[in-house]
Amino acid sequence: MPKVTTRELFAKALNNGYAVGAFNVNNMEIIQGIVEAAEEEKAPIILQISKGAREYARHEFLMKLIEAALEISDIPIAIHLDHGDSFELCKACIDGGFTSVMIDGSHLPFAENVAIVKKVVDYAHPRGIPVEAELGRLAGIEEHVSVSDRDAVYTNPDEAKEFVEKTGCDSLAVAIGTSHGAYKFKSTPQLDFDRLKTIEEALPGFPLVLHGASSVLKDYVDLCNKYGGKLPGAQGVPEDMIKRAVRGAVCKVNIDTDLRLAMTAIIRKELAENPSNFDPRKYLDPARTALKEMVRHKLHVLNAAGKA
Ligand code: G3H
Ligand code: 13P
Ligand code: ZN
């Protein structure tokens, strides 16, 4: 199957009540685990590469590994830059074969965010590449935080409309209470679904993206901790909230932490239980299997299974 753009994937997802899983990749085992899961579940997927992943594994290695996956599989796969932080990085990824890029100017003032996104859009669109942007700051906010503090951090629906019109971006990552990593909420998890609905109404039919959407599944946190890990009180976004978000305009859901936890939990277990083993394949193989099972599970949560 040739690689596809996220534009094609979102058009189908938006009309069919599911979201495409965007899974972060850093090495061969991660790519293999994700692609095998997607093949078995017949689901379209986005393989996304962060700046850090690109520095860790190198652009050329990641692209060749993904090319191999494309060669042997028949599911639609998009190759996306996650959290691009400069025009130059986005340009290098577009020139180097990515089919989608994110330029993340969410830390910038509104006008500067608009300017950098517009610059990337002007380069990407003539080359057929869609652009994801972000407005608002990803942060878990506790229940007691005031409405005005919440407004200062989360995506403003009116600004979102203006931002999309001014930049011409193809999808928008919104801040409604999710955050990156394994510690998303100090107390009861909550997302601002009213705000999400207002953003959807301000931008009818426009693809929205949820970052920081891992659920930090307790079984894997417990397994990590049992075998020497130290992740006390880790907590993610409950899966029923993810299911609710993808029934609307959220058509890309970013997942990295859950994959990291699954791999690390199993590697910890394998090393602890087999102290005399020093063959990396003996712990990377079960780690890849655990990651694959995690992705299969996620594809069902996103309602993406069977949609390839
Ligand atoms: O949102 C960030 C992703 O989890 C990628 O993380 O920058 O450590 O590769 P990274
Ligand atoms: P998690 O840390 O919740 O997996 O989020 C990943 C992400 O948003 C990558 O861009
Ligand atoms: Zn992210």
Side-chain angles (χ1 to χ4, degrees), residues 179-184 212-216 234-237 257-258 260-261:
S179 60
H180 293 112
Y183 292 88
K184 301 191 191 297
S214 279
S215 292
V216 190
Q235 194 176 193
V237 183
T257 295
D258 280 340
R260 293 178 175 189
L261 278 173

Side-chain angles (χ1 to χ4, degrees), residues 54-55 57-64 92-93 95-98:
R54 199 165 170 271
E55 282 163 6
R58 300 224 346 225
H59 185 100
E60 295 82 353
F61 280 89
L62 291 171
M63 290 308 279
K64 292 287 177 202
C93 290
D95 295 347
F98 283 40

Side-chain angles (χ1 to χ4, degrees), residues 24 26 48 50-53 82-83 180-181 211 254 256-257 260:
N24 286 76
N26 293 275
Q48 59 183 8
S50 70
K51 183 184 179 192
D82 189 30
H83 294 283
H180 293 112
H211 280 245
N254 284 14
D256 189 2
T257 295
R260 293 178 175 189

